[in-house]
Amino acid sequence: MIGRLWSAFFLIGMSPGFYYPALTNILTAQGLDSSFVQWTWLAGPLAAMISPVFVGSLADNRFAGQKVLGWLGILSAVLLAASFRVLETDWPKEWFIVLEYASAIVGAPLWSMMASLCLVHLRSGENEFPIVRMGGTAGWIVAGLLLSFVIRADTSPMAGYFGALARLAGGLFCFSLPATPPLGRSRSLRTLFGIDAFRLLKERDHAVFFVTTALLSMPLTAFYMWTPKHLAETGDGHVAATMALGQISEVVAMLVVAVLLRRFRVKTLLVVSLALTALRYGLFAWSGWSGAKTGLIAGVTLHGLCYTLYFITAQLFLDRRVPVEVRSQAQGLIALFSSGIGSLAGTFAVRAWYDHTVTAGHGGWAMFWAALGGFLLLLTIGFSVAYVGTGPRSGRSSW
């Protein structure tokens, strides 16, 4: 059971591992400007606002989870391959964005759906889910290393083709996962569109958590969009492999997160994650000021710990606290607030800040990263004050 779930996550994680870290540099090599890069990166945030909660509702109430995952993987793989093909043809490059958006909308629920399916079948989510979820991280690492050192396509559309191939394999493999029939029975339109999940926001801690997640995801877009470009400007010729250092540290973090969850409150882990994220951008700012690559490499390596302590803890947190009939939708809400609302706002804000500081030369990379780090420091303080840590049906709890 654990082996099959791990393998499914591996293939799903391998797909973005091939092209995400290289995407900005691929588009730049095609002669496309920062505006085109921005609109491309908006695909994920817009998709996360459309499909994860809706698809989660279908899996909660209408269709078997493993079949939903399979068809999502196959269709999004075809659209992803078609989008990168545009870069090698005479077609207007705007078609790349159109097909990227279509692929993203179809593929956006994959991660949250896989998390929900796993937590249904695992006997001990706290202990076993981090191990299973590590498969996605391992897939991302392997893809980055293959792209940089074997395929040697850090600036080539070939990265997208390999990403599509991995996603196709993942979709096909998902059909072999354990049968996961819908646990809910509602057929109302309110349930169909995932509106029931928003009732979670009526509880204080849930509301604080989701708002914080959206605000955290705003500066987080800068990590994915502009760190590869900053690395390239320091002379790094294997950007995809360097970015994989974040996933390597994520593996280590997932090995210890179950132990940390048993010893510390969720609030403590979330606060530590936010503080480390602010520190990471401080290291980036130091590299921008000094011109050295050391701070960038240290910050990228820190990424895995930051991500795991916040988002993996959050997925386990929600699985414990929400009713079984809305669990897939609750996982979709994390995608909505992080990859959707937060990343959408962040993509616009970060691109404008990049143009002002780096392109126009008002402070350069040092100012670019320092301001984002300051924002995250304020967010850490705000969350520490606003989040209480009271269980939904009882008194104070370790969660």
Side-chain angles (χ1 to χ4, degrees):
M1 171 77 75
I2 291 179
R4 276 195 289 168
L5 295 174
W6 190 95
S7 297
F9 256 125
F10 179 88
L11 292 170
I12 290 173
M14 179 176 268
S15 175
F18 273 118
Y19 70 94
Y20 251 52
L23 185 56
T24 297
N25 290 340
I26 291 171
L27 297 177
T28 301
Q30 295 284 323
L32 301 167
D33 59 16
S34 65
S35 176
F36 194 95
V37 171
Q38 169 194 280
W39 283 104
T40 298
W41 280 99
L42 281 173
L46 289 172
M49 295 182 68
I50 296 171
S51 55
V53 177
F54 170 67
V55 172
S57 175
L58 292 178
D60 279 334
N61 295 280
R62 302 288 179 106
F63 303 109
Q66 81 280 5
K67 293 181 180 179
V68 174
L69 278 167
W71 286 113
L72 290 177
I74 292 170
L75 182 55
S76 62
V78 172
L79 292 167
L80 180 63
S83 69
F84 278 89
R85 177 60 182 161
V86 170
L87 297 179
E88 297 187 311
T89 68
D90 294 330
W91 279 39
K93 294 301 182 282
E94 288 73 18
W95 275 105
F96 172 82
I97 294 179
V98 171
L99 290 166
E100 271 289 302
Y101 278 45
S103 175
I105 289 171
V106 176
L110 284 170
W111 290 95
S112 58
M113 279 289 302
M114 266 301 302
S116 180
L117 185 147
C118 287
L119 290 168
V120 168
H121 294 286
L122 294 174
R123 287 174 296 180
S124 174
E126 257 181 64
N127 294 316
E128 296 175 336
F129 179 69
I131 302 299
V132 170
R133 175 57 181 77
M134 194 192 303
T137 305
W140 192 301
I141 294 170
V142 170
L145 296 176
L146 286 174
L147 187 72
S148 285
F149 298 118
V150 179
I151 307 169
R152 300 185 183 276
D154 282 272
T155 58
S156 168
M158 188 67 67
Y161 297 148
F162 277 91
L165 184 62
R167 189 169 300 176
L168 177 62
L172 293 171
F173 186 82
C174 283
F175 287 111
S176 73
L177 294 178
T180 312
L183 299 176
R185 293 292 182 265
S186 177
R187 294 293 184 268
S188 69
L189 287 177
R190 178 184 179 86
T191 300
L192 175 64
F193 287 102
I195 297 174
D196 288 342
F198 288 90
R199 290 180 300 178
L200 298 174
L201 299 177
K202 292 181 180 180
E203 187 190 330
R204 175 191 171 109
D205 280 350
H206 287 157
V208 171
F209 163 73
F210 281 116
V211 170
T212 300
T213 298
L215 293 174
L216 166 65
S217 299
M218 290 174 63
L220 191 59
T221 59
F223 177 78
Y224 298 107
M225 285 178 67
W226 300 114
T227 306
K229 189 170 179 63
H230 193 177
L231 282 167
E233 290 186 7
T234 65
D236 191 329
H238 303 288
V239 170
T242 301
M243 292 293 286
L245 290 172
Q247 278 63 51
I248 293 173
S249 71
E250 192 174 318
V251 169
V252 177
M254 286 187 186
L255 290 173
V256 301
V257 71
V259 176
L260 295 176
L261 282 168
R262 289 194 295 269
R263 298 190 61 178
F264 300 99
R265 296 178 62 203
V266 160
K267 178 178 180 178
T268 301
L269 297 183
L270 296 180
V271 169
V272 169
S273 172
L274 291 169
L276 288 175
T277 305
L279 173 62
R280 177 180 64 189
Y281 282 5
L283 291 168
F284 285 2
W286 178 78
S287 274
W289 172 76
S290 66
K293 193 165 57 174
T294 311
L296 279 169
I297 293 176
V300 168
T301 304
L302 200 57
H303 170 73
L305 183 59
C306 299
Y307 180 90
T308 300
L309 286 183
Y310 194 90
F311 288 99
I312 302 303
T313 299
Q315 288 180 311
L316 293 167
F317 161 76
L318 284 182
D319 185 69
R320 271 197 168 194
R321 290 177 57 125
V322 305
V324 66
E325 64 271 14
V326 295
R327 282 181 180 172
S328 292
Q329 297 167 69
Q331 298 296 336
L333 272 183
I334 297 180
L336 172 65
F337 278 86
S338 60
S339 301
I341 296 170
S343 293
L344 179 67
T347 300
F348 281 109
V350 165
R351 183 271 173 116
W353 184 237
Y354 169 82
D355 282 348
H356 176 75
T357 55
V358 180
T359 303
H362 298 134
W365 286 112
M367 179 60 70
F368 176 76
W369 295 116
L372 296 178
F375 175 87
L376 286 162
L377 183 59
L378 292 176
L379 180 61
T380 304
I381 296 170
F383 177 81
S384 300
V385 173
Y387 184 93
V388 177
T390 301
R393 297 179 182 84
S394 58
R396 183 172 299 276
S397 73
S398 63
W399 287 74

